[in-house]
Amino acid sequence: MDYDSRLELSFYSNISTINEAHRVYLVQHIETKKIYIKKILSVYNLSVYQRLKDRPVYGIPRIYCLHEENNELTVIEEYISGSTLEEILENSGAISETDTEKYLLELCDIVHKLHTETVPIIHRDIKPSNIIITSHGHVALIDLNAARPNTHKKEDTVLLGTKGYAAPEQYGFGSSDITADIYAIGMLINTMLCGKFLSEPISDSRFTPIIRRCTMLDPKERFRSVSELRSAILRNISTPSRTPAAATRRDFLPPGFRSGHPLHMLLATPVYLFLLWICLTLNIKDLTAGALWYTRILFLLMFFSAVACITNYLNIQSIMPLCRSSQKPVKLVGVLALTACLVAVLFFVMLLGVIVVFDYSIP
């Protein structure tokens, strides 16, 4: 195994250093020219990496090569393009409740797959810098050097994790199990909504009860599984915010601009300009100037209402029960129905206004 893995490792050439202190590098395969990440770990659990190499988990970088030598593990893994949650928080501040919900549901799906392995894998270091939001807006969970199988030891012998996100039992107060990851997710939710790490749960969010239960000192009082936590988040989506303070200024930015991601804004800008151009150049025969501008504005609102429904702007999908379904076909029907209803209402208002207010007779 050592000779084979050493030979395989020789096919990856260093391109640049990502983090010298943690020995993380960007490498390229000399034959395929594809880009990968190389990590040299001194603290790791080989069985975790080997199992993830043999059975890849969607949402976690795929592992292509492992080489263990001199009590160090060299890992070649998939390169995932995007920004970490830590970078997003530093650049843009607090994350909206809508985006928080979306990211959490995807994160729960990933962690659930780890926890439901034949021997459950505990990540033990879930934090903003270990979560990447890809260029397509999806979640990836990285850095499993602190992960270990859930072997039900009396207490953790190696103290790993990040202060503030690591559960108390990870500091020698007991044996960490899957609820340690649930504790970290609770602290993560608080950080996403506050825009920075705070040890106390945010008080004006509908997420507060979820955060409090996730971060109970006694592991038995937390959610017992990530599936249970995910169900609580889904129920939370259908519950209106109890105070206006829960909404942030970024919630009111147009879809495509709320995340602050340059690529999203770059793609959204020409779409909005095109829709604006269509509406402003709309011309209907025999309409007065006032009626024409009224019609153009209503058409613009129809276009925006369709975009708002599809992107769940300001959680608008919550008004249609079908949109809250966990089944994608049912949710799609709900989104289409909501879009059709809003567009139809605006179209009716437009016709009514043109006919009644501006006294226009339809030929």
Side-chain angles (χ1 to χ4, degrees):
M1 174 184 170
D2 287 344
Y3 290 109
D4 291 341
S5 60
R6 186 181 298 173
L7 176 62
E8 187 178 1
L9 193 62
S10 67
F11 281 85
Y12 297 91
S13 173
N14 281 26
I15 296 177
S16 63
T17 300
I18 295 178
N19 189 320
E20 182 61 46
H22 291 87
R23 295 191 290 180
V24 181
Y25 309 94
L26 194 66
V27 297
Q28 185 178 42
H29 195 280
I30 59 176
E31 290 186 346
T32 65
K33 306 302 180 184
K34 289 184 178 180
I35 304 298
Y36 299 89
I37 295 292
K38 181 173 80 172
K39 298 178 179 179
I40 303 175
L41 308 175
S42 56
V43 177
Y44 58 90
N45 187 295
L46 181 59
S47 66
V48 169
Y49 280 95
Q50 190 62 56
R51 284 163 61 193
L52 291 175
K53 181 176 184 292
D54 296 337
R55 296 190 297 275
V57 171
Y58 180 80
I60 290 179
R62 184 164 186 170
I63 297 170
Y64 291 94
C65 178
L66 295 173
H67 176 70
E68 188 178 32
E69 188 173 4
N70 298 327
N71 294 320
E72 290 186 336
L73 181 67
T74 301
V75 181
I76 302 294
E77 67 181 34
E78 176 186 6
Y79 168 72
I80 296 179
S81 175
S83 302
T84 66
L85 269 181
E86 184 177 57
E87 292 168 339
I88 293 172
L89 290 167
E90 288 177 353
N91 295 332
S92 306
I95 295 173
S96 70
E97 286 193 352
T98 300
D99 286 340
T100 296
E101 289 160 353
K102 176 181 181 296
Y103 297 153
L104 284 176
L105 291 176
E106 290 195 24
L107 177 62
C108 285
D109 287 340
I110 297 168
V111 177
H112 172 72
K113 292 170 186 174
L114 291 178
H115 289 180
T116 53
E117 283 281 320
T118 306
V119 177
I121 296 175
I122 316 168
H123 189 281
R124 298 206 299 168
D125 201 18
I126 295 174
K127 58 182 179 180
S129 61
N130 283 345
I131 296 171
I132 292 178
I133 305 302
T134 70
S135 53
H136 298 292
H138 294 295
V139 171
L141 181 61
I142 63 173
D143 286 355
L144 281 92
N145 57 302
R148 70 164 177 82
N150 186 23
T151 52
H152 303 288
K153 292 181 179 179
K154 290 184 178 180
E155 62 181 33
D156 288 2
T157 54
V158 179
L159 308 183
L160 294 173
T162 300
K163 184 180 179 181
Y165 296 94
E169 57 268 26
Q170 290 180 238
Y171 293 98
F173 295 102
S175 173
S176 59
D177 58 14
I178 60 174
T179 60
D181 285 345
I182 291 172
Y183 181 98
I185 292 174
M187 299 305 297
L188 176 71
I189 298 172
N190 205 49
T191 300
M192 292 168 72
L193 295 174
C194 296
K196 60 182 179 180
F197 175 80
L198 291 176
S199 58
E200 292 297 321
I202 188 170
S203 59
D204 59 358
S205 166
R206 64 175 181 261
F207 275 100
T208 303
I210 292 177
I211 297 170
R212 291 191 186 281
R213 185 169 176 191
C214 285
T215 56
M216 297 297 290
L217 292 179
D218 185 350
K220 294 179 181 178
E221 296 181 5
R222 300 171 197 158
F223 292 103
R224 298 309 304 155
S225 69
V226 177
S227 294
E228 187 181 349
L229 170 58
R230 191 181 192 280
S231 297
I233 294 169
L234 284 172
R235 290 194 300 271
N236 182 69
I237 291 174
S238 61
T239 305
S241 296
R242 290 170 296 184
T243 62
T248 64
R249 291 181 181 178
R250 283 207 300 159
D251 283 329
F252 297 95
L253 292 176
F257 290 82
R258 289 175 294 174
S259 66
H261 196 288
L263 180 60
H264 296 173
M265 293 189 287
L266 185 63
L267 294 174
T269 299
V271 173
Y272 286 128
L273 290 176
F274 178 70
L275 294 179
L276 187 63
W277 175 79
I278 289 177
C279 295
L280 293 181
T281 57
L282 178 68
N283 198 11
I284 300 176
K285 186 179 179 181
D286 298 330
L287 277 186
T288 63
L292 183 60
W293 276 106
Y294 175 82
T295 304
R296 288 171 175 173
I297 292 171
L298 264 295
F299 264 103
L300 186 61
L301 288 176
M302 279 187 269
F303 280 127
F304 185 79
S305 66
V307 173
C309 290
I310 294 169
T311 59
N312 197 24
Y313 181 66
L314 293 179
N315 203 26
I316 192 173
Q317 292 180 8
S318 63
I319 66 177
M320 174 70 74
L322 290 177
C323 295
R324 300 196 293 267
S325 174
S326 59
Q327 299 180 9
K328 290 185 179 180
V330 176
K331 183 174 182 178
L332 177 60
V333 170
V335 172
L336 293 176
L338 179 61
T339 304
C341 288
L342 287 180
V343 171
V345 168
L346 289 170
F347 187 77
F348 177 78
V349 171
M350 181 193 71
L351 285 180
L352 191 65
V354 169
I355 294 171
V356 176
V357 179
F358 297 99
D359 196 26
Y360 176 75
S361 298
I362 298 177

